[in-house]
Amino acid sequence: MKAPSTSANLGSGFDVVAVAHDAYFAEAYIKLTSGCGVDIKFRGFNPGSDNTVKRAFQHLFERLGRCWGVEAEVVNNIPIARGLGSSGASAVAALAAFIREAGLRVEPAVVVEAAGLGEVAAAGSPHFDNVAAAALGGAVVIASVKPLELVKFMPKLIFVIGVPDVPPMPEKTKVMRSVLPREVSFRTYVAQLARVSALVAGFAKSDPRLVALGMSDEVVEPARAPYVPAYGRVKRYALEAGALAVSISGAGPSIIALVEEKNSDVVKAAVERAYIEEGLRAEVKVASITEGALAQII
Ligand code: HSE
């Protein structure tokens, strides 16, 4: 079972918007055993004993009111701690594989809730944006957190995603959340409302121009940009090359640019050049909106 990489926030949609893209995938394989408890093998990476997959299973079992014996193998091809939802995708892929193997019918919101609570292992607090997109696919809006209410759109959007090869920041998401402003002015609040509205309207109408308006952000981006390597140059070069908008992917350090199909290669080359001029190695990919893990079992 596969779950895609994701980019949360998309500028103004902090913690309530995320897109699933086909840049990378995490995969999980499940075997049911007798007894109760989850044994997880991670291939190619080691998230430690307290990890999002283990926690997600605990929350799911709690919610379903029973326990299964599970052997899970997780192969994560999504770069870790890069703002691409790798920890959440691992958990979603594993839960989806388990649900299929056990022949269960589980509401998508229940899967997202369990995986989002599991994110505490990686981020220090629950958040549902990445896991919602990894599970449902498309562009997802969290319309309510309690109770969890998710809305999925399937707009045709193309992105250039830049993934710098920099040492992972310890406790990255926790740190990147700690730098956010505690308060905003009423004027900023109204301006941000307009941007988030543009994002959601853009998803609904599959209109990249509206999505681009929503990708600007005067609250989170200014606080986090200093911690995102090469962000200023990457953004400038991408926009000069014709990108419609650029924002930080999740909590960074990856960046996500919204592009038109006709200039995706030009923007990709511009982003590559920006990283080189900053003396950084980076993988830069053109990616499209894609389906989520649950599409494979519904
Ligand atoms: N919305 C979360 C944040 C995503 O920006 O902190 C973290 O991957």
Side-chain angles (χ1 to χ4, degrees):
M1 187 72 72
K2 279 166 48 156
S5 49
T6 55
S7 292
N9 306 339
L10 232 52
S12 63
F14 180 76
D15 270 4
V16 298
V17 166
V19 290
H21 39 61
D22 57 7
Y24 304 94
F25 290 88
E27 288 177 52
Y29 307 92
I30 294 288
K31 216 167 90 189
L32 295 179
T33 61
S34 57
C36 162
V38 187
D39 182 25
I40 311 162
K41 289 198 171 44
F42 293 95
R43 299 274 175 238
F45 72 117
N46 178 11
S49 58
D50 181 17
N51 56 70
T52 59
V53 182
K54 190 171 166 186
R55 284 200 186 214
F57 270 107
Q58 285 165 351
H59 288 295
L60 186 71
F61 289 176
E62 230 170 84
R63 182 67 194 263
L64 299 180
R66 79 167 262 212
C67 177
W68 283 259
V70 176
E71 275 177 25
E73 183 180 343
V74 179
V75 185
N76 186 6
N77 295 312
I78 306 172
I80 292 165
R82 289 288 174 282
L84 296 170
S86 71
S87 57
S90 301
V92 166
L95 293 188
F98 160 72
I99 289 164
R100 184 171 66 181
E101 200 59 32
L104 302 173
R105 288 191 73 82
V106 183
E107 284 298 314
V110 171
V111 179
V112 171
E113 186 178 59
L117 293 171
E119 289 278 57
V120 172
S125 57
H127 64 99
F128 301 93
D129 43 9
N130 290 109
V131 292
L136 272 60
V140 177
V141 175
I142 298 175
S144 160
V145 175
K146 251 187 183 158
L148 199 55
E149 177 87 31
L150 309 165
V151 186
K152 171 190 175 181
F153 301 93
M154 213 55 200
K156 199 173 160 2
L157 300 173
I158 300 168
F159 302 105
V160 167
I161 295 171
V163 187
D165 183 8
V166 289
M169 178 193 278
E171 307 218 39
K172 189 231 358 175
T173 305
K174 222 187 268 182
V175 174
M176 294 303 262
R177 291 175 90 83
S178 74
V179 302
L180 301 175
R182 299 284 147 233
E183 290 175 0
V184 295
S185 70
F186 196 73
R187 186 207 62 76
T188 303
Y189 165 74
V190 175
Q192 289 288 106
L193 277 181
R195 295 182 177 109
V196 184
S197 307
L199 266 187
V200 180
F203 292 160
K205 292 165 72 89
S206 196
D207 182 339
R209 195 189 61 85
L210 283 174
V211 175
L213 282 178
M215 283 177 69
S216 70
D217 163 31
E218 62 181 292
V219 177
V220 177
E221 182 185 289
R224 286 182 168 175
Y227 302 92
V228 178
Y231 188 63
R233 191 187 296 262
V234 168
K235 182 167 180 171
R236 183 156 46 87
Y237 284 18
L239 292 173
E240 282 167 9
L244 300 171
V246 180
S247 67
I248 302 166
S249 179
S254 297
I255 64 95
I256 179 163
L258 178 65
V259 298
E260 292 173 288
E261 197 161 13
K262 63 175 193 283
N263 62 10
S264 58
D265 287 338
V266 181
V267 175
K268 178 176 181 281
V271 171
E272 282 167 344
R273 188 160 45 85
Y275 281 120
I276 288 169
E277 288 182 18
E278 293 275 342
L280 291 172
R281 281 156 39 126
E283 182 164 44
V284 183
K285 288 196 165 199
V286 177
S288 300
I289 291 266
T290 193
E291 270 300 349
L294 295 181
Q296 298 158 72
I297 53 173
I298 288 170

